[in-house]
Amino acid sequence: MKLMYSEWEQERKWLRKKAKDARGLTDAEEEQLDRALAKQLKERIGKRASQLWWQLFGIEGHRLDSIEHEARFIAHLDKIFAYPTASQLISATEAPRHLHTASRFIRNRRVAYQEVEFLAPSASRLLELMLYGYFPFEDTWIFLDRRSERSSDGFNKPKQWLALPRGVVPTDRLGITIEIGIFGDNPIRSENPANLFSSLQPSEKERLAKEFGSVGTHTQWLAKIVENIFTESRSWLRSRIRISFAGEMDDQQQSLAALLANGGPISGKRVSMLDGNYLNCHPDNLVIRSSRGRRMACSICREPTTPDQSQLIKDTGGSSARLCHACLKWKLKIDNERSWLRGACIKV
């Protein structure tokens, strides 16, 4: 055991010393690392695009194996995204098709994963069809808010269009952010997928090499840095790489509705949709209201609501609660079932 620990300590000592060379790599060596990392990132993004598509739309029966099916899917999106519509943002249909692989969860006699193959356009086109990334709209770039966490007041953040400030052009079409780090430590962050290594600070390059390098020749050491970064491991000691797209990071951005209604956010004012659809940013559907005071919300689902979409009810104790129509329908159904069961018990 003492000998094994000594070997491990010698290896860590060698890596700490070798990692300092990462600060002074030649341009050719940095370019080599950038190309290798970009290739791995492309493969990882391609797998994620295929998996996302299958989970979101493939299970529902949507297909993209022909131009006709792709056009039909875009028409389906137009029913969800009222304004701007998906057809306004998505480029022309592409003809080439590729074979994609995804996994689906099946429950038979035992839990298992099954691989699924389907024909569809390229991975970048799949992400575009799922409205991932930045899209030019009028005089700004917009993107979907894909954050799933709850806000501090307990309300679910609605899925809506966000906008970059006018005049700001994104450097990456998908808004890719790469985070690399170990458990319990601040991750190394980069927004340059094509120049991931060369865009880092010298201290970050050294840290990356120290964490992911392996003992060997100089060429082997460089190759292992790339390989170990993308090695999947369940151990918390190993680092993981996280790839985020536009709208997935918790960055404060202005909503497209506020930009169209009054040129940007105004303190004490908020923009609401007349029809309650946050994906309908048509100017005729936007109304400016005061943001002071408590927001109206359903007492069950906690979703924001309006007087037209909800009802104020009172219980036997005299307390009042506001329920949206969907939760009110569900509550009436549950109350009727309980009344029926109570009556059946009395008869018995």
Side-chain angles (χ1 to χ4, degrees):
M1 181 65 71
K2 193 171 183 180
L3 179 63
M4 290 176 61
Y5 179 77
S6 177
E7 292 176 354
W8 178 84
E9 189 63 32
Q10 289 293 328
E11 180 179 332
R12 296 306 302 173
K13 184 178 179 180
W14 185 91
L15 288 174
R16 286 193 296 269
K17 182 178 179 181
K18 183 65 176 176
K20 297 183 183 300
D21 294 346
R23 293 173 175 259
L25 295 178
T26 65
D27 292 342
E29 289 173 332
E30 288 200 350
E31 185 178 351
Q32 175 189 346
L33 284 174
D34 285 340
R35 283 199 307 267
L37 289 168
K39 181 181 178 182
Q40 292 288 339
L41 283 171
K42 185 177 180 180
E43 292 179 2
R44 180 68 62 88
I45 291 172
K47 291 179 181 179
R48 183 178 172 187
S50 301
Q51 191 64 35
L52 279 172
W53 163 262
W54 180 258
Q55 290 175 346
L56 291 174
F57 300 107
I59 295 177
E60 296 182 2
H62 292 286
R63 295 165 58 187
L64 296 175
D65 53 358
S66 67
I67 295 178
E68 292 75 17
H69 283 124
E70 188 172 332
R72 197 176 303 163
F73 173 72
I74 296 175
H76 164 75
L77 290 181
D78 283 344
K79 298 177 182 178
I80 302 172
F81 298 90
Y83 187 86
T85 59
S87 55
Q88 288 180 262
L89 307 174
I90 298 175
S91 59
T93 304
E94 293 183 355
R97 306 287 141 175
H98 306 272
L99 188 64
H100 293 263
T101 304
S103 59
R104 65 176 180 179
F105 181 77
I106 59 174
R107 185 183 295 273
N108 199 351
R109 291 185 177 180
R110 61 178 182 177
V111 176
Y113 285 92
Q114 182 183 37
E115 282 197 348
V116 179
E117 293 184 342
F118 60 94
L119 280 175
S122 63
S124 59
R125 177 64 174 178
L126 278 180
L127 291 170
E128 183 181 7
L129 289 171
M130 292 185 288
L131 296 176
Y132 274 87
Y134 295 104
F135 297 90
F137 177 70
E138 295 185 356
D139 57 349
T140 187
W141 288 82
I142 64 174
F143 57 101
L144 280 176
D145 185 0
R146 298 183 181 273
R147 296 167 295 179
S148 59
E149 59 270 21
R150 287 179 175 268
S151 56
S152 58
D153 56 2
F155 289 93
N156 281 323
K157 294 179 180 178
K159 190 173 186 178
Q160 60 179 321
W161 286 108
L162 301 179
L164 293 177
R166 286 191 170 103
V168 176
V169 179
T171 56
D172 179 70
R173 174 66 179 75
L174 289 172
I176 295 176
T177 300
I178 304 111
E179 290 184 331
I180 310 172
I182 60 174
F183 180 81
D185 205 349
N186 294 325
I188 296 172
R189 183 173 176 178
S190 174
E191 296 178 358
N192 297 276
N195 304 294
L196 177 55
F197 185 83
S198 59
S199 64
L200 300 178
Q201 297 294 325
S203 59
E204 293 176 330
K205 294 176 182 178
E206 180 180 346
R207 180 181 162 201
L208 199 72
K210 183 174 66 175
E211 295 294 340
F212 300 103
S214 295
V215 175
T217 64
H218 184 75
T219 302
Q220 291 172 338
W221 173 69
L222 290 176
K224 280 295 183 180
I225 292 175
V226 178
E227 180 182 336
N228 291 336
I229 286 176
F230 287 89
T231 298
E232 291 287 351
S233 175
R234 295 182 179 180
S235 172
W236 66 272
L237 293 174
R238 294 301 301 167
S239 171
R240 298 182 67 92
I241 183 166
R242 178 188 175 192
I243 304 171
S244 302
F245 300 112
E248 292 184 334
M249 302 297 290
D250 194 16
D251 295 327
Q252 296 296 325
Q253 299 288 349
Q254 60 183 340
S255 69
L256 176 62
L259 186 66
L260 295 177
N262 48 37
I266 298 178
S267 178
K269 300 291 183 181
R270 63 183 176 89
V271 179
S272 301
M273 285 66 175
L274 289 174
D275 61 358
N277 181 11
Y278 282 87
L279 296 175
N280 184 5
C281 294
H282 196 280
D284 295 339
N285 189 47
L286 304 179
V287 58
I288 302 174
R289 294 191 172 100
S290 174
S291 61
R292 292 181 172 86
R294 188 174 61 179
R295 289 192 298 175
M296 186 178 294
C298 174
S299 298
I300 293 180
C301 67
R302 304 297 299 168
E303 292 289 341
T305 186
T306 63
D308 295 334
Q309 299 172 346
S310 62
Q311 187 172 340
L312 195 64
I313 63 171
K314 290 187 177 182
D315 57 18
T316 55
S319 300
S320 61
R322 181 168 293 278
L323 303 182
C324 66
H325 290 161
C327 290
L328 181 60
K329 184 178 179 180
W330 170 81
K331 186 177 185 306
L332 291 174
K333 181 181 178 181
I334 296 297
D335 290 344
N336 290 336
E337 290 178 353
R338 287 177 177 174
S339 298
W340 182 86
L341 289 172
R342 193 180 299 113
C345 291
I346 291 174
K347 289 180 182 179
V348 173

